[in-house]
Amino acid sequence: DAKTTQPPSMDCAEGRAANLPCNHSTISGNEYVYWYRQIHSQGPQYIIHGLKNNETNEMASLIITEDRKSSTLILPHATLRDTAVYYCIVRFRSGNTGKLIFGQGTTLQVKP
Amino acid sequence: GAGVSQTPSNKVTEKGKYVELRCDPISGHTALYWYRQSLGQGPEFLIYFQGTGAADDSGLPNDRFFAVRPEGSVSTLKIQRTERGDSAVYLCASSLKGTSGFYNEQFFGPGTRLTVL
């Protein structure tokens, strides 16, 4: 699975958009981009995933560059409850294993 | 509906002892995963079950670690001769694997915090 690179930490003001970047320059054609987050003392939580088109759901939007070498997770109106570690993961959606390979993630601190 | 549950939530044991950690996945989820998370690190994959069989155990660190899922639902992670380095949060996740063969999103439990003294 491709390796991802994320900034270790970011701050965001409550009510503003949080834009979390991820680099995955070695992504292959059939690998998807997934985002999970982990709030303190909880298990990770799925947010969103995409292949090449931009995606939006009730939690966030995912913007993938045309060359697929990077992506941005957007939380449109961050709240204090969005303070968490955010993980960007790339992997195939089919195959012999569905395991997730987590990096260090980005610690997002939403401030009042 | 109920999510993934894990018991116990905390386990303290002494070096050299045997421990069992239990995971109850979401009903109907055929795929089950175990991960281990050390302080300040992201979760690290241990083993993946599809139904009753271990389809990928490449993440188990050594032969002291073993996991079973005899009826394709509940899973138990077993650690023999525990060492202080085994101290971590052990996370379980479950998901559906669709008829198209695609893996769907994983739902994680709250984890079991294991402390080996």
Side-chain angles (χ1 to χ4, degrees), chain B residues 12-75:
Chain B
V12 180
T13 191
E14 293 180 342
K15 180 175 178 295
K17 299 288 189 182
Y18 168 83
V19 296
E20 289 190 352
L21 310 179
R22 176 187 168 109
C23 172
D24 282 84
I26 293 172
S27 177
H29 279 191
T30 56
L32 186 145
Y33 304 82
W34 284 99
Y35 295 84
R36 176 170 71 173
Q37 187 169 26
S38 300
L39 193 63
Q41 304 296 315
E44 175 190 10
F45 169 77
L46 295 176
I47 188 169
Y48 154 58
F49 286 91
Q50 181 59 37
T52 59
D56 181 357
D57 63 358
S58 62
L60 294 178
N62 52 58
D63 61 6
R64 295 187 298 106
F65 288 75
F66 190 70
V68 295
R69 193 185 186 201
E71 297 178 357
S73 55
V74 170
S75 176

